[in-house]
Amino acid sequence: LFAAREARGMASTVVLPADHADQLHGGLALAPFDRSKRGFAGLVRMVRAMFAAKRQSRPDVIFFHSTFSLLGLLALKVTGDRTPCFYCSHGWAYSRYKPGTRKARLAQIIEGRLCGLAEVVINISMADQRLAMRLGYRGRHQLIENAVLDAANPGLRARFPKDRLNLLFVGRLDKQKGIDLLLEAAAKAHETRPDLALHVVGAAVNNDADGPASYSFVTQHGWLADGEIDAFYRSADALVVPSRWEGFGMVVPEALRNGTPVLVSTAGALPDLVDDGKTGFVFELAAGELVELLQRLDKAELAAMRPACRESYEGRFTVRRYMSEFRDLVDRTTLPGEESVEETSPATG
């Protein structure tokens, strides 16, 4: 996405933790800060790095990403700075907590008020947009759905057994992503259909959920190198996304770009990304619905969905569409006659 912005005359300076700097490529101007010690000290260093980058690059727009960057947005506005600002939560923090709890109320107060300091609040999904409106979050809200680059190495395929129903999980092996729920459901489904095979790509980060153990039908692949994941999507009969909460779910359009149907839970944005029965299936996490879905899956039916999956990607999730909407937003926000935009992006992860 950054490369696409550069191609459209948008020069970007990215403020980010130093340990994340190797994740960005393409000659971007980076302003890394030390986040070796988490907590308030790390946030202060982020804010200092933001002001230093701002003095050097003199941006036309400042784009704040994720919850912790709201401190930078607040600091900027307290100083009286009038540079137009965008803010994107990449999934509202409120969604992580049970409604009515103290943490949920605190998240609603903090992000709901501070996000309104930005000229525009960008929501990455219709679910996030609806949630912000329902909770009364301040500011001018704009929906710009996430996008992903097209598939790499289109001829490559993974070596999955052709006589199996090959299901794929991609992501962190953590509570949010529901890997424990998937394993439990797959184990029960496997009792009545021994052809089920589950391929797991990823590793635990938060260590807050039970991961794959000694299940005979599970193959763990760990994290894959850049350019390898599409071969796995392409070879799977379906991707399973059993998340407990999700602001968007980038793995869904990644699967769709490879023509792979997706089974998604009803959490957050996920049901809006799949056309139930045409590009995949939507299931409830409770009451054994995932078990029943896995038991009745048919390889031929899933294969027949593949053209519609690819069409869904091309019509909705391309970088071309994203950049067109983003560029229009920038043009409407900046002063008339400006031809380019520089962004200083505190991306705290």
Side-chain angles (χ1 to χ4, degrees), residues 46-121:
M46 177 196 73
V47 173
R48 288 176 176 172
M50 176 198 72
F51 278 112
K54 181 181 180 298
R55 287 192 296 269
Q56 182 175 2
S57 64
R58 301 177 64 185
D60 297 298
V61 172
I62 305 179
F63 197 166
F64 293 86
H65 298 268
S66 300
T67 306
F68 291 122
S69 73
L70 285 170
L71 180 62
L73 175 59
L74 176 61
L76 190 74
K77 294 303 182 180
V78 166
T79 64
D81 193 288
R82 295 186 178 182
T83 306
C85 295
F86 296 162
Y87 172 69
C88 180
S89 70
H90 296 281
W92 294 111
Y94 177 91
S95 302
R96 305 175 187 178
Y97 309 113
K98 185 177 180 180
T101 61
R102 182 178 179 181
K103 289 183 177 179
R105 290 194 297 269
L106 184 60
Q108 180 180 357
I109 292 171
I110 294 176
E111 65 183 4
R113 293 181 179 178
L114 293 185
C115 72
L117 296 175
E119 276 66 28
V120 181
V121 181

Side-chain angles (χ1 to χ4, degrees), residues 216-230:
S216 61
F217 60 90
V218 177
T219 303
Q220 298 184 65
H221 301 276
W223 293 116
L224 300 177
D226 291 345
E228 292 183 332
I229 187 61
D230 288 300

Side-chain angles (χ1 to χ4, degrees), residues 167 179-194 196-198 212-218 290-292 294-295:
L167 303 179
I179 180 62
D180 55 323
L181 302 175
L182 174 58
L183 290 172
E184 181 182 356
K188 293 180 180 179
H190 188 259
E191 294 175 359
T192 57
R193 58 172 315 164
L196 189 153
L198 177 61
S214 57
Y215 294 104
S216 61
F217 60 90
V218 177
L290 178 55
V291 177
E292 296 175 4
L294 297 181
Q295 289 173 332

